[in-house]
Structure formats: C-alpha cells, structure tokens
Amino acid sequence: MSGYQSEKVLITVKTYPTPAKKGIEVSCTAGITDEGKWIRLFPVPFRFLGGESQFKKYQWLEVAVIKASDYRPESYHLDLDSIKVLGDPLPTSNGWQERKAIIMPLLSPSLCHLVRKRKETGSTLGIFKPKQISEFIIEKEELPDWTEAEQAILSQASFHDRKPFKILEKIPYKFIYSFTCNDPECNGHRLSITDWEVGQLYRRCKERYVHDWERYFRQRFETEMILGRNTHFYVGTLKAHPDKWIIVGLFYPPK
C-alpha cells in the first residue's frame, strides 16, 4: 500500500473503548517498536477484530501503518487488515524480566519530566514510576449513560457490515490516582486511568458482588497496586487537550 510501512510493535497499552464517529468504538492502543520507540495505533475497534487479529497486551504484532494527521508524533494510522499476531504474550516469569528488558530503557524519571519534555519535543507518551501513590479515587460520572448521539454511534453497522454483538457498556465512574513523582518541584498530581483492565474488573465486580463491588475492586487497584506491586504508570496526552495527561495503563511487576 502506498505510503504505508511495516512495523513490529509490542503492545503495552489498551484502554477501555469509547464511541468514535469513524470507528463505532475504539480503544487507545500503544506500544513500543522493535527499534525502541513509542507508537500510538488507531483506529483499533478491538471488539470487532477477527479472531486472528485480536491481540493481548505484551504480544508482538506486525502491522502496516502510516503517519496520522494527528499532531502527536507517536500517532500512526493502522491498516486493520494487516494485523499479524506474532506469538504468545511475553511471560511474567523471573520478575517480568523479558518485559522489563524492552520497557525499562524508555523509563522517564517523573511525570513532571514528561510534561517539560512534551513542551520541548512534542512527545506525548511515556512511562514512569510514581514516588508515592497517596490515594485511589472513585468518582461518579456526571452522565452515567451514553448520550443519544453516542448511542447512535455505537448502534451503527460495524466494520465488515456487522452490527455490535453487544452495545458497549459505559462505566459510570471515573477512576483516579493521586500521587507525587520523583521531581524536586513536584506539587502532586491527580490523573484519571482509562486502562481496559480497570473497566473490565469494574464490570466483573459489579456483576458478581452487586452493591459490594467497590470493596473487591479496590483490593486490586488500591491495595495491590499501592502496596503489593512495583507499580508504574503508562501515560499519554489527549488529542483535544494537548496539556492534559491521563494514565492509559499500568506496568506492575512484583516488588
């Protein structure tokens, strides 16, 4: 295909889907190329991908991409038909050493550092280890359900003329980490997290434990991530809000 190039990418980030006019529903998907560079892939309507194209985090993919019109330097348009999954996800044995070997060379010292770097170079993806996570916050969304316009997008004919097998469920809460980072001038941060794992665990806990869902949900993303894991944050900026950073994923090898 004219203009497209082949890339080998280790997927590290997959967020909970959101409605998209050009893709029914899409997930923010990002990873690291075999040359050790960040890359953001879109559109990725993950739930509509064919079985051979569906992938997990920490799997290598071979894909055809072209630079997107998105101003963010890491953003590339993905040819969905080109997705080729290359083997199983990298293992978690030996303290996640195989994953660390690829991810740790890109580790930034702090979120404050990434904020300054974006202003200097335009970079909008990164990973860092927070100095201290002080709180995991759960807030209700102002609109717990999709708007009529969003419902219309989610109900339209999908890729390959298939209708959604099940309308995407909106998560009626925001999940937020409050933390400080390893920067002498850090005044603290409060960032939303949109990781697919967070949304899926909420759905499972809500279905299984109903009104007691929060207690079991917090065991994972509060107790375990703050006390039991060596938790790092994958972060990125929003296209519509260049200065706004969010947590798009967690990297959490054992302590």
Side-chain angles (χ1 to χ4, degrees):
M1 291 175 295
S2 178
Y4 278 78
Q5 63 191 54
S6 178
E7 290 283 0
K8 187 178 177 183
V9 180
L10 180 72
I11 299 299
T12 59
V13 167
K14 188 168 68 174
T15 66
Y16 193 80
T18 56
K21 291 180 180 178
K22 295 183 179 181
I24 299 30
E25 61 179 65
V26 296
S27 300
C28 174
T29 304
I32 301 169
T33 69
D34 58 351
E35 296 181 344
K37 298 179 180 179
W38 291 110
I39 187 169
R40 181 186 287 109
L41 304 173
F42 70 89
V44 182
F46 185 78
R47 296 199 308 153
F48 297 102
L49 294 179
E52 293 183 357
S53 297
Q54 285 208 347
F55 53 84
K56 299 177 181 179
K57 288 199 288 188
Y58 303 108
Q59 277 186 309
W60 283 101
L61 306 184
E62 190 175 291
V63 293
V65 298
I66 190 170
K67 183 66 185 77
S69 57
D70 184 338
Y71 65 87
R72 294 172 294 180
E74 308 91 345
S75 296
Y76 282 76
H77 188 275
L78 168 68
D79 174 21
L80 295 172
D81 292 329
S82 75
I83 297 174
K84 183 178 180 181
V85 180
L86 307 176
D88 296 327
L90 294 183
T92 58
S93 55
N94 299 319
W96 294 31
Q97 286 305 317
E98 287 193 46
R99 300 182 182 191
K100 287 179 178 178
I102 296 165
I103 295 164
M104 289 297 100
L106 293 176
L107 185 68
S108 294
S110 66
L111 177 60
C112 293
H113 171 83
L114 287 168
V115 170
R116 291 191 295 268
K117 185 179 177 183
R118 187 198 68 81
K119 294 178 180 178
E120 295 168 1
T121 68
S123 59
T124 62
L125 284 172
I127 184 173
F128 69 95
K129 178 177 169 56
K131 180 179 181 180
Q132 182 178 15
I133 303 174
S134 56
E135 192 176 6
F136 180 65
I137 302 159
I138 300 176
E139 293 182 351
K140 287 186 177 181
E141 287 276 10
E142 291 183 14
L143 297 174
D145 298 313
W146 302 119
T147 65
E148 288 187 9
E150 290 169 330
Q151 283 276 10
I153 290 171
L154 294 170
S155 300
Q156 65 186 308
S158 71
F159 290 88
H160 308 297
D161 296 322
R162 288 192 301 126
K163 289 205 170 187
F165 49 88
K166 187 176 181 182
I167 294 293
L168 178 69
E169 178 183 348
K170 181 173 183 178
I171 306 299
Y173 294 93
K174 294 179 183 177
F175 305 115
I176 301 163
Y177 278 112
S178 178
F179 63 94
T180 54
C181 63
N182 284 293
D183 189 281
E185 298 181 5
C186 181
N187 294 317
H189 305 279
R190 179 185 159 108
L191 265 59
S192 296
I193 176 169
T194 58
D195 193 327
W196 187 301
E197 291 182 38
V198 177
Q200 291 297 80
L201 183 63
Y202 162 79
R203 294 177 66 244
R204 289 198 298 269
C205 288
K206 186 69 174 177
E207 181 178 356
R208 178 176 294 184
Y209 305 111
V210 193
H211 300 299
D212 201 26
W213 69 269
E214 186 174 333
R215 178 160 64 98
Y216 294 92
F217 182 79
R218 284 186 179 275
Q219 285 179 3
R220 173 66 169 170
F221 289 104
E222 183 174 65
T223 305
E224 185 174 351
M225 291 303 170
I226 295 176
L227 301 177
R229 292 280 178 168
N230 188 16
T231 300
H232 298 63
F233 293 156
Y234 292 112
V235 291
T237 64
L238 299 176
K239 182 180 179 181
H241 304 282
D243 295 328
K244 185 174 178 62
W245 292 79
I246 59 173
I247 299 168
V248 290
L250 300 176
F251 183 66
Y252 47 89
K255 286 188 176 180

